Amino acid sequence: MQKEITITLFGEFENKPVSAYQISNNNGMQVELINYGATITKIITPDRAGVGGNVLLGFDSLDGYLQNGHMYLGSIVGRYCNRIAHAKFTLHNTEYHLAANNETACLHGGITGFDKVCWDAQIWDGNRVKFSYLSEDGEEGFPGNLQIEIIYTLTDENELIIGYSAVTDKATPVNLTSHGYFNLSAFKEPTILNHELVIFADQYTTQFHEPPEPTLIASVKDGPLDFTKSKKIGRDIKQLPGGFDHNYVLNKTGKNALEKAAGLYDPTSGRVMDVFTTEPGLQLYTGNFIELAAGYHADNDTFINHAAVCLEAQHFPNSPNEPVFPGTILNPGETYQQQTVYKFSIR
Ligand code: G6D
């Protein structure tokens, strides 16, 4: 029997109410969402002793999100998540210029991306919330009026399913993701360095920091980025300046097939999170700048670096400028559709 979704006031943004939507299932899980940034603010799931804990980094008030917007905590990120080199792209012989908000690149849709706007919300049959947003032609420099819908579904199999769809009246790049920061110990472990991770990817796209270009596809084999066999996140992290912040090329058997991308396990709590997606790529980001956030959290007094890990399913960075990468251009008459599933269990 479906439980009712509860709605509470979470704050106010630009004189509009921001509401929190709590979805509970019949198997010990609870998810909280807010319409600011179509953001996941809490994911409560049981450990091997059956004790529930919040495994998602977030805030209990809107202020926390407004003060730490540079972290994109739990939010939907777009119109184009990750980076576009030189903050520009050419489409149908027109050059489009975006905000260079990350060195000379455009990151996460520019200055006011989808994580920093209020979405319309609609609740459905007890376990589903739909967020909608119209990104107008020219918003952050992108062409076309883009109507986006995000549907969050919490199943009794402890899956949080994120369904993405969008239509446009003019050709435009679209690359959306959910930017959750996870710590499966429910932050009883101060960092995720002891979490074990497997990523089903033999290759990654080289991180472009101008130059070298073009962005290349390289093998992870036997290097610090190799997660083809499960290993502790902390084992090789010191070999990477700051930590992991890399986009993996997932081993896909079929274009747009919903397939397993990664598995995360916390030996302390026994919690497991498996990630399935239709996307070709996955960004591994180990919360390398959290200390700068000087944030606060209901359960913790401060964040520390590597307090949580992001596994963001998406297309590759800079795809509008890399013709060999899977395409991200949505044309009028087409429907952008992607799905990512975060499935929680215990071991
Ligand atoms: C940093 O490079 C990282 C991004 O990948 C991440 O999304 C952001 O911090 C929160 O810019």
Side-chain angles (χ1 to χ4, degrees):
M1 153 64 168
Q2 286 296 355
K3 300 185 176 181
E4 286 297 303
I5 293 176
T6 58
I7 306 175
T8 51
L9 187 62
F10 196 78
E12 197 175 90
F13 178 69
E14 294 179 348
N15 303 319
K16 281 189 221 155
V18 172
S19 299
Y21 303 80
Q22 288 90 12
I23 314 176
S24 302
N25 72 2
N26 293 306
N27 200 8
M29 255 193 89
Q30 202 179 83
V31 170
E32 183 183 81
L33 310 161
I34 59 174
N35 63 302
Y36 177 76
T39 299
I40 312 169
T41 52
K42 276 195 182 74
I43 297 178
I44 293 171
T45 186
D47 63 9
R48 64 165 67 94
V51 178
N54 176 24
V55 299
L56 193 82
L57 201 52
F59 294 95
D60 293 324
S61 78
L62 187 60
D63 279 356
Y65 291 93
L66 298 178
Q67 288 160 19
N68 291 279
H70 61 291
M71 292 176 68
Y72 306 87
L73 282 166
S75 297
I76 292 297
V77 178
R79 194 181 289 202
Y80 194 98
C81 70
N82 216 311
R83 291 163 176 80
I84 294 180
H86 304 299
K88 67 179 180 182
F89 63 89
T90 299
L91 188 51
H92 301 162
N93 301 321
T94 303
E95 187 169 84
Y96 293 91
H97 292 269
L98 311 170
N101 61 329
N102 184 258
E103 296 174 4
T104 56
C106 177
L107 175 70
H108 290 346
I111 307 290
T112 307
F114 293 176
D115 60 294
K116 297 183 177 65
V117 297
C118 270
W119 294 60
D120 295 328
Q122 195 182 349
I123 60 177
W124 249 334
D125 54 39
N127 73 332
R128 205 174 308 197
V129 177
K130 177 169 79 173
F131 291 108
S132 313
Y133 177 66
L134 171 61
S135 173
E136 295 186 347
D137 181 31
E139 185 177 285
E140 288 299 325
F142 289 96
N145 293 296
L146 183 76
Q147 180 66 51
I148 309 112
E149 288 187 354
I150 307 287
I151 296 181
Y152 287 102
T153 305
L154 177 62
T155 72
D156 280 340
E157 291 67 45
N158 285 8
E159 298 158 319
L160 177 57
I161 301 173
I162 310 177
Y164 302 79
S165 66
V167 292
T168 183
D169 60 6
K170 205 169 155 190
T172 176
V174 184
N175 184 23
L176 308 178
T177 195
S178 168
H179 204 304
Y181 289 68
F182 299 95
N183 179 320
L184 299 185
S185 73
F187 301 91
K188 290 191 172 42
E189 295 273 324
T191 74
I192 41 81
L193 299 178
N194 197 39
H195 280 39
E196 295 170 15
L197 175 66
V198 60
I199 300 177
F200 298 96
D202 298 327
Q203 299 176 306
Y204 73 106
T205 56
T206 55
Q207 227 174 341
F208 68 87
H209 289 295
E210 351 276 354
E213 288 183 36
T215 311
L216 304 174
I217 290 182
S219 169
V220 301
K221 192 157 175 44
D222 299 335
L225 296 179
D226 189 343
F227 282 92
T228 51
K229 291 187 185 58
S230 179
K231 72 178 180 185
K232 289 191 183 306
I233 292 176
R235 198 189 80 176
D236 302 326
I237 195 168
K238 294 254 183 290
Q239 297 180 44
L240 299 148
F244 295 99
D245 189 7
H246 294 78
N247 187 271
Y248 283 78
V249 178
L250 296 172
N251 302 335
K252 304 289 286 194
T253 56
K255 189 171 177 314
N256 280 353
L258 182 67
E259 294 176 305
K260 189 167 181 180
L264 186 66
Y265 171 60
D266 167 39
T268 312
S269 65
R271 289 192 184 93
V272 177
M273 180 177 82
D274 290 319
V275 185
F276 302 82
T277 187
T278 55
E279 295 276 10
L282 185 82
Q283 183 81 7
L284 167 62
Y285 173 55
T286 46
N288 306 334
F289 312 113
I290 285 182
E291 211 153 50
L292 306 181
Y296 62 89
H297 191 272
D299 304 335
N300 290 356
D301 48 8
T302 57
F303 296 155
I304 57 170
N305 274 1
H306 312 318
V309 60
C310 304
L311 295 168
E312 310 153 39
Q314 56 192 252
H315 270 62
F316 304 163
N318 205 31
S319 300
N321 296 314
E322 304 283 2
V324 297
F325 284 2
T328 56
I329 303 303
L330 180 69
N331 296 300
E334 297 172 346
T335 301
Y336 170 93
Q337 254 174 344
Q338 295 292 343
Q339 186 181 80
T340 295
V341 182
Y342 293 95
K343 182 174 176 48
F344 295 88
S345 57
I346 50 165
R347 193 194 296 166

